[in-house]
Amino acid sequence: MVWDAWGIPAGHKPLSAQIRGLLTQVFGVSGDPVARRDEGEVPLRESALTPDRRDGLVEVVGADNVSADHRDRLRHAGGKSTPDLLRRRADGPQDAPDAIVFPADHRQVLAVLAYCAEHAVAVVPFGGGTSVVGGVDPVRGRFDAVIAVDLRRLDGVSEVDPISGMVTLGAGLTGPRAEELLRAQGLSLGHFPQSFEFATIGGFAATRSSGQASAGYGRFDDMVQRLKIATPTGTLELGRPPASAAGPDLRELFVGSEGALGVITEVTVRVHPVPETIAYQGWSFPDFETGAAALRSVVQAGAAPTVLRLSDEAETGINLARAGDIGGNPVSGCLAITTFEGTEAHVAARSAEAGALLAAAGGTALGETPAEEWEHGRFGAPYMRDALLDVGVLCETLETATTWANLAGLKAKVTAALTDSLAGQGTPPLVMCHISHTYPTGASLYFTIVAKQLDDPIAQWHTAKQAVGDAIVAGGGTITHHHAVGTDHRPWLPAEIGELGVRVLRAVKAELDPAGILNPGKLVP
Amino acid sequence: MVWDAWGIPAGHKPLSAQIRGLLTQVFGVSGDPVARRDEGEVPLRESALTPDRRDGLVEVVGADNVSADHRDRLRHAGGKSTPDLLRRRADGPQDAPDAIVFPADHRQVLAVLAYCAEHAVAVVPFGGGTSVVGGVDPVRGRFDAVIAVDLRRLDGVSEVDPISGMVTLGAGLTGPRAEELLRAQGLSLGHFPQSFEFATIGGFAATRSSGQASAGYGRFDDMVQRLKIATPTGTLELGRPPASAAGPDLRELFVGSEGALGVITEVTVRVHPVPETIAYQGWSFPDFETGAAALRSVVQAGAAPTVLRLSDEAETGINLARAGDIGGNPVSGCLAITTFEGTEAHVAARSAEAGALLAAAGGTALGETPAEEWEHGRFGAPYMRDALLDVGVLCETLETATTWANLAGLKAKVTAALTDSLAGQGTPPLVMCHISHTYPTGASLYFTIVAKQLDDPIAQWHTAKQAVGDAIVAGGGTITHHHAVGTDHRPWLPAEIGELGVRVLRAVKAELDPAGILNPGKLVP
């Protein structure tokens, strides 16, 4: 990925005339992008890794696999939240890890951690670098130096078991590479979060990622059957497929551990055959509450499609679910997307059952096109955000989840907190929302917020984020449904797990990482 | 429950002439039961609770709710494994908790724990007393006295949310009472383990219970949305429905915590509407491997019935799945049971899809009768065990789980270990097996073992259990799929989670229960 924006250069496209017109009309910005700095000219904080520490790490992984190169450091300088990207676009020196280490395998990760624990070097485990919560910030904590441990060389597939539908994947495999290797065996993982193109298997596990096909294939936590974890104290191998009653499920302590309790090096996941067929169907609902009740009826009946999404009126009106048509003719009501994957027989049975429920709940079938268009553009939104940031428009997303009974109330509270905070700063926002993940007991809410940037857009967003975080927790939502805690959500973790829960986390960390080198400043309050 | 056997007196029936005939033929026993001791005549270890400790507990819960009564102590003397029942049938004094405390609510449980931590009294949290792994044995550990904390007074239903399909249940509610209270609201939990009639909501959570309808409604761990836990250090409230990425899922540390990390006082569970209809269908497969592959095809296609079971040739031949007909005309092949619950439309769609897959995989539909008969007799097997023990026949069950690819291999190894060990002692067993819980990646294996008793049947079974435990772990199975660890499986826990995993468990316990009063000798090696 490029250092100061999402994705690859080819993904970045100028805004369409339609969108520029919309921005001028709504926010009074011209739509002309500002220039960004050349990577080579960006001043970086000097590396604090002493030559002897560097030599020590070289001894573990080899000289080719320790880098303090300007470009390497810049590309491991953090994640891709809007504040991250605004910080990179700002003048002045950038923070970055003092070196990057590229271990070859689990054994080398263990050795790197042992070395760093002994020599007081902080470690940031690094996968795809797609965190939007400050999860890979180069925080030194109380240590003199911090290194990023980039897991890209842990990129193997092993123990392929098509009978049980299980494979073991190296933590450093990206989404597309994992799918490519699996497809060669007729298998698929089916995990497609928006970060899919860049994020890694280890990252998915470390952050409790959830993909767009979660209604069909589950969250990534559901897929994880077994984990191999390197800690400063040794190796953990957890999870006994398919299920066990042998005490607490310790695997669930490390799914979502965000590099603070250990480094996930291998993940054994549930996979399925590449689907025989995929059916697409868009739906229209008169309003969000009707649509949400329809989604609920399908999920609670055990008839969930593979993908099941619902955009609210604002998101539907601006065509955000159909990236190619943003700013085009406004669409009324609320758009829902369904896809069905599997055998011909399964897709036929399931789409008939789900379709009947959606229709009975007030939905109007729109045919295949809206769902196909959504799938075509589904990884594109982060690129759009960069284009908006470049023209002086603030754009960020956040997500939560709550029970079905509390969904409309929480949506209203979150929208009000965002609107009040940003309007109070003189920049009334557009707030759009969709449901992208559904469960028998509730659903996620994913918000996209667009407003005119102030002179200090980082402070502008920080104010709004504080307000909305408090509103989410007070409103019975979770501070994050699938983006993890990192640094940004840490203040709200005690509200999720209580002070005693925090003590439990700290006790586990103290046992495994007594020196406290693992990902300082993340997750654990 | 009666003190020296399973269940209530009315459940105990003499063996049928058919079964007695079978036992004489196979094991050479007469089939005449020995008399059991009267409850009042059983000598008990004297209560070690000093009067001042008793007074201290009375101050917390009131005089009516502390008992050192002979009958109460006897009925809290442990669980219902075959060794437990054999021990109770043996002469000599029985072990028992020194007193039973019946707290009224969460606050009183907290206060009891605080008192016991301060005064060095061990605590055994007690639900239905149905443990078959020594999970509620009155172990004093290093303490002078041990009390059972019976949670039966925590029997409320609160926060009923039919929209989200969630309710909060007191930990002391039994299965039938919880279903009764839910049915009054048109709801059902759908958790029907064999212990259903006596076990409690808190016990289901504390042991990672799994019910006979797990293919449709999930394991109890899947149902748990939120837990309230009393510990000597304070209260934990964990779980944010429907899902969260806010760090490790600490709830999963306490599902399966077996009273060793805290006392579960409230469980918020997923529920569903009472099904409109239930369809029953029995199937016959030529052999176990064909049947297992058929079950796999249904589960992996996402078309699982609500109940999905398969008996092996031995279990099918002896009609164990149809309790009314044991010893009757032998049936060839392998019997499978399916039931489908839900709306008329869902049941029709799902049973058609699953039926087509089972037929395509070599199954022959047998109509409704075998499945209805199975459902009718499904809680009866433990009573049969008592009748067998009374006539000098050893009968015990055990269970494991593994991946589909490893299923046949593990089944063979477990059967061989049991057969070799018991035949080596001169008592060749009948070993029967069924699959009762299926997952996309694997299934459970539940074994029933019957053999002639030796003079010391506890030692006889202990030898077999050691052999089979080792074989399970070496063969890639879990030491328990739904019976928990307790005292009996503790030696094998390090094989499941590793020595470092054990250290993590100990660190959590040390944080929450620094005095170590909670359920000594269980779970944590």
Side-chain angles (χ1 to χ4, degrees):
Chain A
M1 280 206 279
V2 295
W3 78 281
D4 60 349
W6 182 262
I8 55 172
H12 290 268
K13 294 184 186 71
L15 294 170
S16 69
Q18 268 182 336
I19 295 178
R20 289 171 63 148
L22 200 69
L23 295 175
T24 305
Q25 186 191 323
V26 178
F27 298 121
V29 300
S30 71
D32 296 326
V34 295
R36 297 220 296 265
R37 289 184 290 181
D38 183 75
E39 196 172 3
E41 292 165 7
V42 177
L44 260 189
R45 182 179 73 163
E46 208 175 328
S47 173
L49 198 74
T50 59
D52 58 325
R53 295 283 173 271
R54 187 191 156 91
D55 291 349
L57 291 165
V58 164
E59 216 163 285
V60 176
V61 296
D64 291 349
N65 296 305
V66 179
S67 170
D69 171 72
H70 180 87
R71 181 179 167 284
D72 277 342
R73 291 182 62 208
L74 210 47
R75 289 179 184 227
H76 292 82
K80 301 289 183 185
S81 71
T82 291
D84 289 336
L85 300 179
L86 292 168
R87 212 173 290 123
R88 303 225 180 103
R89 283 160 161 86
D91 288 337
Q94 296 285 315
D95 202 0
D98 298 304
I100 328 304
V101 169
F102 300 89
D105 53 25
H106 178 84
R107 199 186 49 77
Q108 285 195 359
V109 176
L110 269 182
V112 167
L113 295 183
Y115 180 86
C116 290
E118 194 183 342
H119 296 90
V121 175
V123 170
V124 177
F126 202 98
T130 61
S131 173
V132 291
V133 295
V136 290
D137 283 1
V139 177
R140 286 197 180 90
R142 62 173 186 274
F143 304 99
D144 295 333
V146 58
I147 61 167
V149 173
D150 187 312
L151 298 159
R152 67 181 58 189
R153 295 171 70 203
L154 282 73
D155 61 353
V157 174
S158 58
E159 298 175 47
V160 177
D161 175 356
I163 302 291
S164 312
M166 276 172 40
V167 302
T168 299
L169 302 173
L173 280 169
T174 63
R177 183 65 182 144
E179 282 293 335
E180 184 188 339
L181 292 169
L182 289 172
R183 286 211 173 222
Q185 317 247 13
L187 300 170
S188 172
L189 185 54
H191 183 66
F192 302 110
Q194 204 167 55
S195 62
F196 169 75
E197 297 174 293
F198 307 100
T200 60
I201 296 297
F204 295 147
T207 59
R208 294 192 170 266
S209 174
S210 191
Q212 293 163 348
S214 69
Y217 300 125
R219 298 170 61 84
F220 198 76
D221 3 337
D222 299 325
M223 298 177 188
V224 172
Q225 303 286 304
R226 201 161 164 77
L227 290 175
K228 189 167 182 178
I229 305 142
T231 81
T233 312
T235 294
L236 284 159
E237 293 187 79
L238 297 171
R240 177 119 339 171
S244 173
D249 190 348
L250 296 183
R251 174 184 49 181
E252 295 282 355
L253 260 181
F254 296 89
V255 181
S257 58
E258 303 189 20
L261 305 180
V263 179
I264 295 167
T265 58
E266 270 183 18
V267 187
T268 302
V269 287
R270 189 178 78 201
V271 293
H272 56 269
V274 172
E276 267 178 38
T277 189
I278 306 181
Y280 299 88
Q281 181 72 55
W283 291 83
S284 175
F285 290 92
D287 54 59
F288 186 76
E289 291 220 41
T290 305
L295 267 55
R296 176 168 72 86
S297 75
V298 169
V299 176
Q300 291 185 340
T306 308
V307 170
L308 182 58
R309 302 168 68 87
L310 174 72
S311 292
D312 73 356
E313 293 84 348
E315 190 172 288
T316 301
I318 211 156
N319 283 328
L320 203 64
R322 296 188 287 152
D325 210 18
I326 291 175
N329 289 329
V331 178
S332 68
C334 289
L335 177 67
I337 302 293
T338 63
T339 77
F340 298 86
E341 300 186 2
T343 60
E344 298 280 358
H346 181 69
V347 167
R350 188 59 70 90
S351 60
E353 190 182 354
L357 288 167
L358 293 172
T364 305
L366 300 177
E368 299 180 356
T369 311
E372 288 173 339
E373 283 182 352
W374 165 79
E375 191 181 76
H376 180 72
R378 65 176 167 168
F379 301 129
Y383 287 112
M384 168 83 63
R385 176 181 57 162
D386 279 308
L388 291 170
L389 295 180
D390 282 345
V391 300
V393 173
L394 185 72
C395 176
E396 183 55 307
T397 64
L398 59 86
E399 31 72 65
T400 180
T402 191
T403 60
W404 289 111
N406 192 44
L407 201 71
L410 183 63
K411 181 174 184 287
K413 285 172 192 159
V414 169
T415 304
L418 288 163
T419 304
D420 291 352
S421 171
L422 287 163
Q425 299 180 65
T427 53
L430 285 181
V431 179
M432 294 158 281
C433 180
H434 63 246
I435 292 173
S436 46
H437 305 270
T438 51
Y439 305 86
T441 56
S444 68
L445 291 170
Y446 186 98
F447 294 88
T448 302
I449 303 99
V450 183
K452 184 178 179 178
Q453 282 182 27
L454 292 175
D455 285 348
D456 184 350
I458 295 176
Q460 177 191 10
W461 177 248
H462 182 74
T463 300
K465 180 76 178 176
Q466 288 300 314
V468 74
D470 292 346
I472 285 172
V473 166
T478 175
I479 194 65
T480 172
H481 169 266
H482 60 268
H483 283 169
V485 176
T487 52
D488 297 358
H489 291 144
R490 209 164 57 135
W492 291 284
L493 191 60
E496 299 262 338
I497 62 174
E499 290 299 337
L500 193 50
V502 172
R503 283 175 57 181
V504 169
L505 266 192
R506 286 205 190 108
V508 174
K509 183 167 172 75
E511 184 68 29
L512 296 173
D513 177 26
I517 57 163
L518 280 170
N519 220 7
K522 324 296 160 46
L523 180 62
V524 187
Chain B
M1 280 205 282
V2 296
W3 78 282
D4 60 350
W6 183 262
I8 55 173
H12 290 267
K13 294 185 186 73
L15 295 170
S16 69
Q18 269 182 335
I19 296 178
R20 292 171 61 146
L22 200 68
L23 295 175
T24 306
Q25 187 191 324
V26 179
F27 300 119
V29 299
S30 71
D32 296 325
V34 294
R36 297 218 296 265
R37 287 185 291 180
D38 183 77
E39 197 172 0
E41 292 165 8
V42 177
L44 261 188
R45 181 180 72 164
E46 209 175 327
S47 174
L49 198 73
T50 58
D52 56 327
R53 295 283 172 272
R54 189 193 154 89
D55 291 347
L57 290 166
V58 163
E59 216 163 286
V60 176
V61 296
D64 289 350
N65 296 304
V66 179
S67 169
D69 169 74
H70 180 88
R71 181 179 167 284
D72 277 341
R73 290 181 64 207
L74 210 48
R75 287 176 187 229
H76 291 84
K80 300 291 183 183
S81 71
T82 291
D84 288 336
L85 301 180
L86 290 168
R87 213 173 290 122
R88 303 222 181 105
R89 284 160 161 84
D91 288 336
Q94 296 286 314
D95 203 359
D98 297 305
I100 328 303
V101 170
F102 301 89
D105 53 25
H106 178 82
R107 197 186 50 76
Q108 285 196 359
V109 176
L110 270 181
V112 167
L113 295 183
Y115 180 86
C116 290
E118 195 183 340
H119 296 90
V121 175
V123 169
V124 177
F126 202 97
T130 62
S131 173
V132 289
V133 295
V136 290
D137 282 1
V139 177
R140 287 197 178 90
R142 62 174 186 276
F143 303 99
D144 294 334
V146 58
I147 61 168
V149 173
D150 187 311
L151 298 158
R152 67 180 59 187
R153 293 173 69 203
L154 284 73
D155 61 353
V157 174
S158 57
E159 299 175 45
V160 177
D161 175 357
I163 303 292
S164 311
M166 276 170 41
V167 302
T168 299
L169 301 174
L173 280 169
T174 63
R177 182 66 183 144
E179 282 293 334
E180 183 188 340
L181 292 169
L182 290 171
R183 286 212 172 219
Q185 317 248 12
L187 300 169
S188 172
L189 185 55
H191 183 68
F192 301 111
Q194 204 166 55
S195 61
F196 169 76
E197 297 173 292
F198 307 100
T200 59
I201 296 297
F204 295 147
T207 59
R208 295 193 169 266
S209 173
S210 191
Q212 291 163 349
S214 69
Y217 299 124
R219 298 169 61 84
F220 198 76
D221 3 337
D222 299 324
M223 296 177 189
V224 173
Q225 303 286 303
R226 199 160 166 79
L227 290 176
K228 188 166 183 178
I229 305 143
T231 80
T233 311
T235 294
L236 284 159
E237 293 187 80
L238 297 170
R240 179 127 327 182
S244 171
D249 190 348
L250 295 184
R251 173 184 48 180
E252 294 281 356
L253 259 181
F254 296 88
V255 181
S257 57
E258 304 188 20
L261 305 180
V263 179
I264 295 167
T265 59
E266 270 183 20
V267 187
T268 303
V269 287
R270 191 177 78 201
V271 293
H272 57 269
V274 173
E276 269 176 36
T277 189
I278 307 179
Y280 299 88
Q281 181 72 56
W283 292 83
S284 176
F285 291 92
D287 54 60
F288 186 76
E289 292 222 38
T290 304
L295 267 54
R296 176 168 73 84
S297 75
V298 169
V299 177
Q300 291 184 340
T306 308
V307 169
L308 182 58
R309 303 168 66 87
L310 174 72
S311 292
D312 73 354
E313 293 84 346
E315 191 172 287
T316 303
I318 211 158
N319 284 329
L320 203 63
R322 295 188 288 153
D325 209 21
I326 292 175
N329 289 329
V331 179
S332 68
C334 289
L335 177 68
I337 302 294
T338 63
T339 77
F340 299 85
E341 299 187 3
T343 60
E344 298 281 356
H346 180 70
V347 167
R350 188 59 71 89
S351 62
E353 189 183 353
L357 289 166
L358 292 172
T364 304
L366 299 178
E368 300 180 355
T369 311
E372 288 174 338
E373 284 182 351
W374 165 80
E375 191 181 75
H376 180 71
R378 66 176 167 168
F379 301 129
Y383 288 110
M384 167 83 64
R385 176 181 56 162
D386 279 307
L388 292 170
L389 295 180
D390 282 345
V391 300
V393 173
L394 185 72
C395 176
E396 181 57 306
T397 63
L398 58 88
E399 32 76 62
T400 180
T402 191
T403 61
W404 289 111
N406 193 44
L407 200 71
L410 183 63
K411 179 173 185 286
K413 285 171 192 159
V414 169
T415 304
L418 288 163
T419 304
D420 291 353
S421 170
L422 287 163
Q425 298 180 66
T427 54
L430 284 181
V431 179
M432 294 158 281
C433 181
H434 63 247
I435 292 174
S436 46
H437 305 270
T438 51
Y439 305 86
T441 57
S444 68
L445 290 170
Y446 186 99
F447 295 88
T448 302
I449 304 100
V450 183
K452 185 178 179 177
Q453 283 182 28
L454 292 175
D455 285 347
D456 183 351
I458 296 176
Q460 176 190 12
W461 177 247
H462 182 75
T463 301
K465 180 76 178 177
Q466 288 300 314
V468 73
D470 292 346
I472 284 171
V473 166
T478 176
I479 194 65
T480 172
H481 168 267
H482 60 268
H483 283 168
V485 175
T487 51
D488 297 359
H489 291 143
R490 208 163 60 134
W492 292 284
L493 191 60
E496 299 262 338
I497 62 174
E499 289 300 337
L500 193 50
V502 172
R503 283 176 56 181
V504 169
L505 265 192
R506 286 204 190 108
V508 173
K509 184 170 172 73
E511 184 67 30
L512 297 173
D513 177 26
I517 57 163
L518 281 170
N519 221 6
K522 323 294 161 46
L523 180 64
V524 187

